[in-house]
Amino acid sequence: MRRATAGFSGLLLMAGLTGCTSGVPEPDDAADRFARALAAGELAGLRGQPDAQGEYDDLLDSALTDLPRTVEVVDAAVVEPAQDGAEPREATATLEWTWNLEEYGGARWRYRTETTLTRSGERWTPRFEPGVVHPDLQPGNVLDLAPVAPNRGDIVGAGGTPLVTERPVTRFGIAKDQVPAGRAVASARELAGLLDIDPGDFAQRVRAAGPDAFVEGLVLRRDDIPARVEQGLSGIRGGLAVADTLPLGPTPDFAEPILGTVGEVTAEMIEEDDSLQPGEERGISGLQARYDDRLAGEPGVRVAVLGADGESSTVHDEPATDGEDLAVSLDQRLQRRAEALLADVGPASALVAVRPSDGAVLAAANGPGNDGVNIATYGQAAPGSTFKVVSALALLRDGATPATPMECPTTTVVDGKAFENYDDYPPGALGGITLSGALANSCNTAFVDAAAGLGEGALADAAASLGLGVDHDLGFPAYFGQVPPPESETEAAADMIGQGGILASPMVMAAVVASVQERSTVVPWLVDDVRSEPTAGVAPLREREAGQLRGMMREVVRGGSGSALADLPGPPVIAKTGTAEFDRDGRRLLHAWMVAAQGDLAVAVYVDEGESGSRTAGPILEEFLRSAR
């Protein structure tokens, strides 16, 4: 028994004899050569059937034509004649076909067929007919293979609300088979003008496509199609609108830098993973890319016999395995509200809201000025005076209390470097104040002068207790900030006011204020089944420390830099404002920050360029807290 494989060539279907039994040649060799010819798809030399090659080719669709297959002779037997003494002139052979469907997500498909061989002299000749390829095939039929795409899993938010799910879209393009060849490019330019896309690029793609191709120009959400597009499409020859669905969020930009997008695989993706196929849709960025294997599911494959009358009959079916949903913590209402509040902010910006009781990230919004960059959870910027919450904890652990006296001069000098308070610092809060007053009014000079008394690593340890500077793998891009050892006395002083070597993301600053509110270290989470506990070895935030911090941050609202939040209805609000100086293009600019907590909600707002934390970030945070109730 010999196995026939694709790649066989030089068929000699009309030559060669097998061994003989009682003077009658056996059909085995002829059957075996026929099997190899079927596997290779080369029947041009079949004796007495000059049209066999064309008939064979017509039976298989293009996908099956190029698919690896083997054909093996299971049995070949002479049919004894009815008349005694006559020599056998007919034989039958049983063939086992094996198709490798791995390219389409399937396994190996096996079935058996039969063929008849007739003898002339000592030569056996197989007979080709459709049933040799598959038992259900008849003349005029086609054996058709079709991949079966799985349903992609949804990304599901708080309360089980689908955030990213299949939503109706319309694909606008040119159907080249519905427009004269010489007119297709002109139609492409007309459609490009209607859709407001690059006419040169679209015309080139239409020109390069095959004569029967549908060339897509733009995909629009069903509810976002302008009336002028619907009205103008009918006047463009070959213009076509195709209804479809795509996995999309509730709005075009909903948490896109974090959740990511789904689209057609790129050449770069195929180069990295040769299992991907051109035209296949996969996760391109964000959580859609990171959890693509889980969300995408496994494709299936279906093979059917297509009749000349258009009827089809499935002969092999491997169902697709649908993707699994991915549960995340985002609250759709809060996320949309956060994005709406950032919509008119020109510079890069972000708002992150965390639930202190369990660390759930309820909103992680990125403003339009971010150009698609995820600053909300992965931004890296000096946190300015919002970091004074950490510095205050370090001082409390060093023996201070909220009532400990401090000095707040207009200017102080450390190793030749002058430090000042912000421009509109209240004159009445200068001079002798307390630690609580220094935090409430955000006195830079008081905190800078306190740096010298802190032991090595005290600031980093306090930051870690509030969730800053200790990395965790949360299953999404998350930056927890840094508190590196200072390289000089000047840097140590700058660190106390959230500059120097200190960096943070809006997410981790939300975690800092959430930790104070919860009275224990809060580690944020976004993906439901990827959560992290506070790192072992980090000193826990003690109840008394947290209570002192809450009292001081409450004073920020009562009469300090966060007084705009004083009239918010509901539970008491704690807060801290912050600005951080930085240089860009020869200009001295300010990052604007504000963090706050009310009830079971902690929020951080960041604006890359602003006037101050209270003036720039403050109104955004206030409106968010008001609307979050």
Side-chain angles (χ1 to χ4, degrees), residues 2-13 28-43 56 69-73 95:
R2 291 183 288 270
R3 181 177 296 276
T5 60
F8 173 81
S9 60
L11 301 174
L12 301 176
L13 293 175
D28 300 66
D29 281 354
D32 190 53
R33 286 195 300 275
F34 185 48
R36 295 202 301 274
L38 291 168
E42 299 178 7
L43 300 184
Y56 182 45
R69 57 189 175 271
T70 62
V71 185
E72 180 180 353
V73 179
L95 309 175

Side-chain angles (χ1 to χ4, degrees), residues 458-530:
L459 202 59
D461 290 345
S465 296
L466 292 170
L468 194 156
V470 181
D471 288 338
H472 302 268
D473 183 2
L474 300 183
F476 68 97
Y479 180 65
F480 281 85
Q482 66 171 33
V483 186
E487 296 182 358
S488 65
E489 289 184 23
T490 302
E491 185 169 295
D495 285 349
M496 290 290 286
I497 57 175
Q499 300 202 171
I502 310 297
L503 292 175
S505 67
M507 179 203 72
V508 80
M509 292 313 300
V512 166
V513 69
S515 298
V516 175
Q517 183 78 340
E518 186 62 15
R519 301 175 186 257
S520 63
T521 306
V522 172
V523 179
W525 63 272
L526 177 71
V527 179
D528 185 60
D529 54 4
V530 184

Side-chain angles (χ1 to χ4, degrees), residues 148-223:
V148 179
N151 293 315
R152 190 174 183 86
D154 292 341
I155 296 182
V156 180
T161 302
L163 301 180
V164 180
T165 188
E166 292 291 328
R167 302 181 193 273
V169 298
T170 299
R171 300 179 182 273
F172 292 92
I174 296 296
K176 292 190 69 175
D177 61 348
Q178 297 182 21
V179 60
R183 174 67 187 170
V185 170
S187 291
R189 291 187 177 276
E190 290 179 21
L191 183 59
L194 184 66
L195 298 175
D196 196 22
I197 61 176
D198 185 343
D201 174 73
F202 186 49
Q204 178 59 35
R205 289 194 288 117
V206 170
R207 182 183 291 109
D212 297 325
F214 171 73
V215 186
E216 183 179 291
L218 186 65
V219 181
L220 293 174
R221 291 171 179 255
R222 195 75 52 81
D223 295 336

Side-chain angles (χ1 to χ4, degrees), residues 386-410:
T386 57
F387 187 77
K388 287 174 183 170
V389 177
V390 174
S391 302
L393 176 59
L395 294 172
L396 291 174
R397 288 181 172 179
D398 193 50
T401 70
T404 295
M406 302 182 79
E407 283 296 319
C408 180
T410 302

